[in-house]
Amino acid sequence: MEIYVVKDYKEMSKKAAKIIAEEMKRKKDLVLGLATGSTPEGTYAKLAKMCEKGKIDFSNVVTFNLDEYLGLEDEHEQSYHHFMDKHLFSKVNIKPKNTNVPAGCPKNIEKTCEKYDKKIESLGGIDLQLLGIGNNGHIGFNEPGDVFIPETHVAKLTEATLDANARLFKSKDEVPKESITMGMKSIMNAKKILLLASGSGKANAICMSLSGPITPWVPASILQLHNDLIVVIDEEAAQQILEQKKTMQRARVYKSY
Ligand code: PGA
């Protein structure tokens, strides 16, 4: 595990975009796993700038998003389809047919989930998976529970997630209660994983995930088993993990602030 501790959100976004850009240069037809939420917004803005300047090229890149709210049409302002169009896809030269986001209103949920996993597999898996983390340690919408679910599946959102996401809706009642999310198998099969977190609100989740026991009750803790995990966190999000001496000895830690 490599942990980069940077000063703030801006530096986290810069570093993350640089890592993604390097992978895109290394492999033109990169299979890129993408996340939504406030965390990656700045990273997407940087990537859009780089693309505008001709420094990176999305023309052969294929993307797979982690999740979508169940019941939201693609056009809905809070859908992750809309988020991705707004923050990245409309700003770079990616081919729409190369972008994949789970359907929010699928005709057949089971088949849709199955097809999503098959499509990822058919391309040889994800090369680089970008992840944010929930306050409760979720990745994608893999919420805390009794088991790690391997396949793309329907997930019931926990109260913590409904509370956290209510800020984006008129009220908490409007937050969809379920989602379709990529499961742990496609995430863990990614050749490289880039986990981002910013702000003191994420300090506990980061510490529990990277330093605590591996348990489905802290879904991101499974990432400790990945052999190419890069973590980019800002000073505030790093507060607790930096105190975990054993983890810090095991990881390669780079501080730049
Ligand atoms: P956030 O969400 O980036 O909006 O904090 C992260 C997540 O819930 O995975």
Side-chain angles (χ1 to χ4, degrees):
M1 177 181 359
E2 282 180 17
I3 304 180
Y4 292 86
V5 185
V6 297
K7 187 167 173 285
D8 53 18
Y9 181 84
K10 198 171 154 200
E11 293 301 317
M12 177 198 75
S13 306
K14 231 188 202 168
K15 178 75 188 162
K18 196 168 164 233
I19 292 169
I20 296 169
E22 274 164 15
E23 291 301 305
M24 286 176 64
K25 284 176 193 162
R26 192 183 56 75
K27 189 170 185 270
K28 298 282 173 222
D29 57 348
L30 194 76
V31 180
L32 182 57
L34 296 174
T36 48
S38 308
T39 308
E41 271 182 35
T43 305
Y44 294 151
K46 297 263 175 229
L47 289 173
K49 274 248 167 69
M50 286 181 189
C51 189
E52 195 187 303
K53 289 184 182 159
K55 290 184 178 163
I56 49 173
D57 174 17
F58 277 88
S59 60
N60 291 308
V61 170
V62 180
T63 63
F64 286 92
N65 265 81
L66 285 166
D67 46 17
E68 178 59 284
Y69 288 115
L70 199 60
L72 292 196
E73 299 286 351
D74 296 359
E75 299 73 30
H76 191 285
E77 257 208 319
Q78 293 308 333
S79 79
Y80 290 161
H81 280 80
H82 180 79
F83 176 100
M84 288 312 302
D85 279 337
K86 181 172 163 194
H87 293 284
L88 189 68
F89 299 156
S90 65
K91 297 186 172 167
V92 298
N93 64 333
I94 197 159
K95 294 187 180 99
K97 70 173 172 66
N98 285 348
T99 66
N100 299 278
V101 181
C105 297
K107 282 201 192 95
N108 182 324
I109 295 179
E110 253 173 50
K111 275 207 179 117
T112 301
C113 292
E114 220 180 286
K115 268 193 180 164
Y116 206 65
D117 288 332
K118 286 231 167 85
K119 195 164 180 190
I120 294 172
E121 249 179 73
S122 73
L123 292 169
I126 291 166
D127 291 309
L128 173 63
Q129 176 66 54
L130 178 63
L131 293 176
I133 187 169
N135 301 332
N136 63 358
H138 75 199
I139 44 178
F141 274 129
N142 289 279
E143 296 281 46
D146 288 332
V147 289
F148 291 115
I149 302 177
E151 298 84 14
T152 295
H153 61 279
V154 171
K156 202 168 169 299
L157 305 195
T158 58
E159 283 302 316
T161 299
L162 295 173
D163 284 337
N165 292 7
R167 71 188 195 280
L168 303 165
F169 291 81
K170 285 197 193 96
S171 70
K172 185 178 163 187
D173 288 345
E174 283 191 21
V175 186
K177 309 282 180 287
E178 290 180 316
S179 68
I180 292 198
T181 182
M182 203 189 272
M184 291 303 194
K185 196 169 157 193
S186 294
I187 295 174
M188 287 300 283
N189 275 343
K191 293 171 192 87
K192 196 187 265 299
I193 295 182
L194 174 56
L195 172 67
L196 307 182
S198 164
S200 56
K202 298 290 170 73
N204 186 48
I206 283 291
C207 186
M208 298 274 286
S209 301
L210 303 180
S211 202
I214 297 166
T215 162
W217 289 99
V218 183
S221 63
I222 199 171
L223 299 175
Q224 291 180 43
L225 299 176
H226 197 276
N227 62 14
D228 195 357
L229 172 66
I230 304 178
V231 182
V232 182
I233 44 183
D234 67 10
E235 223 181 319
E236 284 186 11
Q239 271 162 9
Q240 295 183 28
I241 187 126
L242 287 178
E243 290 162 14
Q244 304 300 316
K245 292 219 165 58
K246 274 197 188 141
T247 307
M248 289 298 107
Q249 277 162 8
R250 272 204 322 258
R252 273 167 287 156
V253 184
Y254 306 91
K255 281 194 210 166
S256 60
Y257 57 89

